[in-house]
Amino acid sequence: MTTLLLFLMTAMAAELDQARSLDEANLTVAARLAYAEVVGQAPGNSEALASLVRLCRDEGQADPLRPFLDDLAANPPVGAEALVARLSAEALLVAGQPDAALAALDAMDNTPLDPGLQRAYYLRGQIHHHHRIHEPKLKSAVMGYRRVMTAASEPALAEDEGLRDLALLEISRIYVGLGRLENAANYYEMTDQGSIWADVSALEHGWTLIQLDDLDGARKVLKRVDGWDVGAKALDALARTRADQARGRPDDAPLTAYLDAIVDEKGLLVAAQGKMIEEFPGKLRASLLDDRTNGVAPALAHREAIDVELAQIADVGVPGLAHWRRLLEAERDRAREKLEAATTTAIQVRVDRLDAWVRFVEADVAGGLAEVPDFLPVPAPESAAE
């Protein structure tokens, strides 16, 4: 054994020991960065690779694994086969190869129970639904989403909060797009009322019931929306207006009354764009953090966790303190950028939705209500159903 090789092996063993020490000290971000360094220099190190996967799962993020996808595919840690298949499929999707992505996901069908299966099933549904090169295959998409629902009933597979209900939403939207509103309403009704997607489901369910002329049912569903937001109020006003019209008492006032409220809320959102979340008005900041669908709260928690580790790492006594501190500071910069991106996207989504409500209300008042409003998917062609 050459002197250089012996030196490298000794240095690698020392880095792995440091990663273990950080891990044992519960400095999980620093430990994940340390294991990533080991894997980057010694791709065949199964302990470092398995620890890296475990810590990424604990943090709820897969991005740090992507640079090591080839190593993971060649030697997937036990229990992470479906996670690796999903990451491979996502990389192929980015490369514009949806059929190859589906083939990568096929590898997960013979894996043992793996928490990553649920999200992998969801990705399969998404590919059939949104990423086919020619036309979506909606029956295959529905089958993929239904497997998510089945997996959610298995405790070992129920990894992602709300993924079952997101799959229900996608199935409902497929049926809305095909004009099968009764089927859509049935799937919307299956949403767990404690789910992070409950409000979105209730809004779309309410609109669907209005189209079915079940106005009382629509108003009952819309009352489920947490905080009784302007969208729910606008749809409730639409249901009341339709009921009044049916009774021969047309009155557009309930609808037009919400336009000013919608415009005011949009103004608050636009004013917040480009600012750090700490600078937002308290109510808006709390609203964004309470919304578990936008990724803002986890991004903020991750940045704050790094701040805590930077304050604690000197007490651990791990060699190379300056090196680990620099890595954590660089990670904090990345976390800050991700938080800003998540916040910007969350605000834009809300602005776009408010704009959709305005167009929807104005179109109805003018007597030109579109069959499917902007906040629901565009109807798919009948040929898309296999």
Side-chain angles (χ1 to χ4, degrees):
M1 185 177 294
T2 66
T3 302
L4 177 59
L5 181 58
L6 181 61
F7 171 78
L8 291 174
M9 290 178 64
T10 302
M12 189 58 56
E15 285 202 20
L16 186 56
D17 281 341
Q18 291 172 17
R20 292 184 190 126
S21 297
L22 292 166
D23 203 352
E24 291 167 2
N26 204 32
L27 299 181
T28 56
V29 180
R32 188 249 298 163
L33 294 171
Y35 284 125
E37 282 205 336
V38 174
V39 174
Q41 297 175 48
N45 192 303
S46 58
E47 178 189 345
L49 198 57
S51 297
L52 179 61
V53 170
R54 169 177 54 81
L55 291 172
C56 284
R57 277 186 157 164
D58 289 346
E59 288 185 65
Q61 55 177 332
D63 284 348
L65 295 174
R66 299 188 194 282
F68 311 109
L69 188 53
D70 289 342
D71 303 322
L72 286 165
N75 185 29
V78 175
E81 292 87 352
L83 171 63
V84 173
R86 175 171 67 84
L87 293 176
S88 299
E90 288 175 348
L92 289 165
L93 269 184
V94 171
Q97 302 176 54
D99 291 330
L102 287 172
L105 291 172
D106 288 343
M108 72 187 178
D109 287 335
N110 297 319
T111 61
L113 288 182
D114 175 350
L117 276 172
Q118 192 185 20
R119 185 157 287 279
Y121 289 146
Y122 180 78
L123 179 60
R124 179 181 278 170
Q126 286 276 290
I127 294 172
H128 284 301
H129 190 182
H130 299 295
H131 295 283
R132 297 308 293 262
I133 294 175
H134 301 296
E135 289 184 340
K137 293 189 175 181
L138 299 185
K139 286 184 180 178
S140 297
V142 169
M143 287 175 60
Y145 294 139
R146 283 177 177 159
R147 294 196 73 176
V148 176
M149 296 161 57
T150 302
S153 65
E154 173 60 58
L157 300 183
E159 178 184 44
D160 292 292
E161 181 187 20
L163 196 59
R164 166 194 175 273
D165 296 294
L166 185 55
L168 279 170
L169 268 178
E170 295 286 11
I171 294 174
S172 303
R173 289 165 173 171
I174 286 173
Y175 283 127
V176 167
L178 293 172
R180 294 166 59 177
L181 299 184
E182 293 87 353
N183 297 96
N186 289 336
Y187 275 97
Y188 281 129
E189 187 59 39
M190 293 168 63
T191 303
D192 183 347
Q193 295 310 301
S195 165
I196 64 175
W197 297 102
D199 286 357
V200 176
S201 177
L203 286 167
E204 296 184 12
H205 189 188
W207 176 86
T208 302
L209 292 175
I210 290 173
Q211 306 314 302
L212 291 169
D213 284 328
D214 183 1
L215 304 180
D216 291 337
R219 298 192 66 190
K220 185 181 297 183
V221 164
L222 291 167
K223 290 293 195 296
R224 300 173 185 167
V225 176
D226 186 42
W228 193 223
D229 77 2
V230 291
K233 290 177 182 177
L235 280 181
D236 181 69
L238 174 59
R240 281 188 287 150
T241 300
R242 293 276 182 88
D244 288 342
Q245 289 172 343
R247 299 186 188 99
R249 300 195 305 270
D251 181 7
D252 292 331
L255 277 173
T256 55
Y258 291 110
L259 284 176
D260 289 341
I262 290 173
V263 171
D264 289 345
E265 183 165 332
K266 180 182 173 183
L268 288 174
L269 291 166
V270 171
Q273 287 177 327
K275 296 181 180 178
M276 295 294 292
I277 191 168
E278 290 86 355
E279 300 173 317
F280 289 3
K283 186 176 179 180
L284 175 58
R285 182 174 186 272
S287 175
L288 287 173
L289 291 174
D290 287 344
D291 183 348
R292 293 175 292 166
T293 69
N294 60 22
V296 173
L300 178 60
H302 181 56
R303 194 201 66 189
E304 291 175 341
I306 297 170
D307 289 334
V308 170
E309 291 195 16
L310 277 167
Q312 294 177 344
I313 195 167
D315 299 329
V316 177
V318 177
L321 174 62
H323 174 66
W324 303 121
R325 188 181 292 280
R326 281 195 300 272
L327 285 183
L328 278 173
E329 288 171 347
E331 181 71 7
R332 181 175 58 185
D333 290 341
R334 288 190 292 271
R336 184 182 293 113
E337 291 174 359
K338 287 184 178 180
L339 174 60
E340 290 175 0
T343 304
T344 299
T345 299
I347 290 176
Q348 190 59 52
V349 166
R350 290 195 178 193
V351 168
D352 291 345
R353 189 173 73 171
L354 291 172
D355 284 341
W357 289 126
V358 171
R359 289 192 297 271
F360 183 51
V361 172
E362 289 177 340
D364 189 82
V365 170
L369 177 63
E371 289 187 5
V372 180
D374 293 352
F375 50 86
L376 286 176
V378 175
E382 288 295 336
S383 59
E386 295 167 326

